[in-house]
Amino acid sequence: MNLNATLIAQMGVFFILAWFSMRFVWPPIVKALDERAKKIADGLAAAERGKHDLELATKRSVDALREGKEKYAELVTQAEKQAAQIIEEAKAQAKTEADRIIAGGRAAAKQEITQAKEILRDHLAVLAVAGAERILRREIDAKAHAQLLAAIQQEL
């Protein structure tokens, strides 16, 4: 066997195998590797987008929570103001009602005092007439005496 012929034959087979590999085997392998690299890059990009979306969602949820707390505080403040206003209005109405009742009571008391004075005047007049009648039965006639007592009653 000739070493040169074997070497040339092996080189020919090697070049044919290299050509065949580069022509038919290598492109699908490169294509598969490129697709795999693209899938990995897409996965990493999707993970990055997901991470970014998660950060945005976290910020939005924190903002929504803060806004909710602010609205809650505002509603509580408004409710407290309304409660204070209602209490003040109730106090004012109660004071007005109390003043009205007191004024009515005073008017009723004045009326009763006036009535009591009239009743006392009438009783006093009756007593005075009775006393004067007993004293004056002997001295004056009844008509003159009644006129005198009526004048006294009017003065009282």
Side-chain angles (χ1 to χ4, degrees):
M1 271 208 148
N2 192 356
L3 187 63
N4 286 340
T6 305
L7 190 60
I8 290 176
Q10 283 181 352
M11 280 182 26
V13 171
F14 176 76
F15 284 122
I16 292 172
L17 181 63
W19 174 80
F20 181 79
S21 293
M22 290 176 78
R23 176 83 174 163
F24 297 105
V25 176
W26 191 257
I29 292 173
V30 169
K31 184 178 177 184
L33 288 174
D34 288 343
E35 287 177 2
R36 181 74 176 144
K38 184 179 178 193
K39 283 183 183 179
I40 290 172
D42 289 345
L44 289 174
E48 192 64 35
R49 281 193 308 270
K51 185 178 177 183
H52 181 68
D53 290 345
L54 177 64
E55 288 175 2
L56 287 176
T58 303
K59 286 180 183 179
R60 279 190 228 132
S61 67
V62 167
D63 290 342
L65 183 62
R66 181 185 43 79
E67 184 177 322
K69 285 181 181 180
E70 288 173 358
K71 284 184 180 180
Y72 169 76
E74 183 179 325
L75 288 175
V76 167
T77 303
Q78 287 177 354
E80 288 173 352
K81 286 180 183 178
Q82 286 179 345
Q85 183 180 9
I86 289 170
I87 289 171
E88 290 301 319
E89 288 174 1
K91 284 180 182 179
Q93 287 177 353
K95 181 163 176 38
T96 303
E97 184 68 19
D99 290 345
R100 186 185 62 77
I101 290 171
I102 290 171
R106 286 183 180 159
K110 282 182 182 181
Q111 186 178 8
E112 287 182 19
I113 290 171
T114 304
Q115 287 176 354
K117 284 181 180 179
E118 289 295 324
I119 292 171
L120 287 176
R121 263 191 214 144
D122 289 342
H123 284 295
L124 182 60
V126 169
L127 288 175
V129 169
E133 182 181 344
R134 285 185 185 168
I135 294 173
L136 296 176
R137 258 190 196 175
R138 299 179 194 161
E139 299 175 6
I140 301 180
D141 69 22
K143 278 186 178 182
H145 188 14
Q147 287 175 356
L148 183 63
L149 286 177
I152 291 172
Q153 185 180 8
Q154 290 296 328
E155 289 178 13
L156 291 176

